[in-house]
Amino acid sequence: MRSRALRWLCAPLILLLATACGGPAATAPDAQGLSKLTLTLNWYPYGEHAPLYYGLVHGIFKKHGLDLTIQAGQGSGKTVQAVGGGKTDFGWADTPALLSGVASGLPVHSVGVFLQSTPASVEFFSDRNITKPQDLKGKTIATTAGDALSATFPTFLRGFGMSTKDVTLQNVDAAGKIAAVISGGADALLGFFHDQGPTLADKSGKQVSFLRFAEHGLNFYSTGLVTNDSTIKGRPGLVREMAAAVSESFTAAIGDPAAAVASMAGVNPQLPPAGVLTTSWEDTIKLLHTDRTRTSAPGVDTAEDWQATIDTFARSGVLKNPGSPSEYWDAGFAPKA
């Protein structure tokens, strides 16, 4: 608790340094009087990000006084670090990476998780005859050491009387998992069913099936909006408008999936095909709420769901000294319905 207390005691100094060095607190209005800011994604753009681009194309961010630039990321961990270091105003990052970042002393908070049901899954070709978790016994699973999927997979297996000794874990980088399955070097991969799933199907031309963690008793918060504590303290109005704009963009994109996908045209050379983006966004819509938030606007969290997520990662060993939800999440910026 001492390190967390020191972080809050140093908040005024962090704010001063951020302002002096051109960090989040130093963003200035553009010629239209809009607040210029950056949002760094968790990865290269894929279907989950369609609402963000929809909001850009259809003027939702401008309506909220924001001149937003979206830039690709290289993993949620690096995005959280960039936010904590004042290199970007906001981050779109996976909650496990945020938990780890806060535990390591980064001055960051979530201001709203949007994917409230994890897309974490075991993915495989349908002809592998894997229909239940017990069918994974003896299989080779492509994974990336150190990520949230590899950290929670043992917990997933324990729920069915197994351990990692019952499978062979093949450690490859994130980009190599799909290639491992297509080549036959691995029977399955650990990934996000709404991202790697449609990509694997598109690249292989084969039907893909999943064992979703959330459908087998292991759910936790996934990606959402993260910002620096100095931004929360120094520019709360900006944070409030950003959270509201993202929520409004998600609501609009749910109502018009085709337009949401069309908004992504040409945003990045590594953009997946339109069909993959469509499947990815349609699958993302299924992940936006828990039972507690079913009637709430996108991005409205609950302390109970945060606590359940914290407990999951404490059990898995990701969090050695877990704190309360308020240590990771600022509830004061919840979007309105």
Side-chain angles (χ1 to χ4, degrees):
M1 292 302 294
R2 184 172 178 270
S3 63
R4 297 188 184 102
L6 286 174
R7 193 179 77 230
W8 284 107
L9 287 172
C10 292
L13 177 59
I14 292 169
L15 176 60
L16 177 62
L17 291 174
T19 303
C21 300
T27 51
D30 64 10
Q32 297 175 281
L34 303 175
S35 297
K36 295 175 66 68
L37 69 157
T38 54
L39 170 67
T40 300
L41 302 178
N42 53 323
W43 197 246
Y44 295 100
Y46 58 92
E48 174 184 316
H49 307 127
L52 302 173
Y53 290 99
Y54 182 99
L56 276 184
V57 171
H58 293 272
I60 293 174
F61 289 99
K62 284 189 175 181
K63 186 182 81 171
H64 286 268
L66 307 174
D67 181 3
L68 178 66
T69 298
I70 301 175
Q71 48 200 28
Q74 294 182 318
S76 287
K78 290 185 178 180
T79 294
V80 172
Q81 290 172 11
V83 173
K87 304 299 184 183
T88 185
D89 298 293
F90 290 88
W92 188 258
D94 204 21
T95 298
L98 170 75
L99 299 178
S100 296
V102 172
S104 69
L106 287 176
V108 294
H109 268 73
S110 170
V111 292
V113 174
F114 284 74
L115 271 68
Q116 298 179 354
S117 179
T118 178
S121 63
V122 187
E123 305 172 18
F124 42 86
F125 293 132
S126 300
D127 60 13
R128 290 287 184 178
N129 295 318
I130 299 172
T131 60
K132 58 187 183 298
Q134 291 85 347
D135 294 334
L136 297 175
K137 187 172 291 189
K139 299 294 193 294
T140 297
I141 314 293
T143 185
T144 301
D147 67 7
L149 288 159
S150 63
T152 51
F153 188 48
T155 304
F156 174 79
L157 291 174
R158 280 198 298 272
F160 301 94
M162 296 186 292
S163 74
T164 52
K165 294 181 181 179
D166 293 305
V167 299
T168 299
L169 296 178
Q170 183 182 98
N171 184 29
V172 296
D173 62 30
K177 291 188 287 189
I178 288 177
V181 173
I182 291 176
S183 70
D187 299 296
L189 63 83
L190 294 181
F192 286 172
F193 87 97
H194 74 318
D195 178 16
Q196 285 96 342
T199 299
L200 177 59
D202 178 69
K203 288 183 177 296
S204 67
K206 300 178 68 173
Q207 184 176 351
V208 174
S209 297
F210 321 99
L211 293 174
R212 286 186 55 200
F213 287 15
E215 292 179 345
H216 290 84
L218 183 61
N219 193 30
F220 46 87
Y221 272 173
S222 188
T223 43
L225 196 61
V226 178
T227 195
N228 194 291
D229 292 348
S230 66
T231 306
I232 289 174
K233 182 173 182 178
R235 305 191 71 187
L238 177 75
V239 178
R240 187 167 290 105
E241 292 298 339
M242 181 64 171
V246 173
S247 182
E248 184 177 335
S249 296
F250 264 77
T251 298
I254 292 168
D256 196 350
V261 171
S263 299
M264 300 188 75
V267 299
N268 190 280
Q270 299 194 42
L271 193 70
V276 171
L277 291 172
T278 298
T279 300
S280 180
W281 169 233
E282 289 175 346
D283 285 340
T284 300
I285 294 173
K286 306 170 187 175
L287 306 175
L288 300 181
H289 298 284
T290 67
D291 289 341
R292 294 184 179 95
T293 62
R294 195 69 59 190
T295 60
S296 301
V300 174
D301 306 344
T302 70
E304 293 85 357
D305 287 329
W306 265 101
Q307 189 62 58
T309 295
I310 293 165
D311 291 345
T312 293
F313 286 96
R315 289 195 304 270
S316 68
V318 173
L319 283 178
K320 303 300 183 185
N321 298 295
S324 64
S326 63
E327 303 230 13
Y328 312 100
W329 163 59
D330 192 318
F333 300 98
K336 307 299 182 184

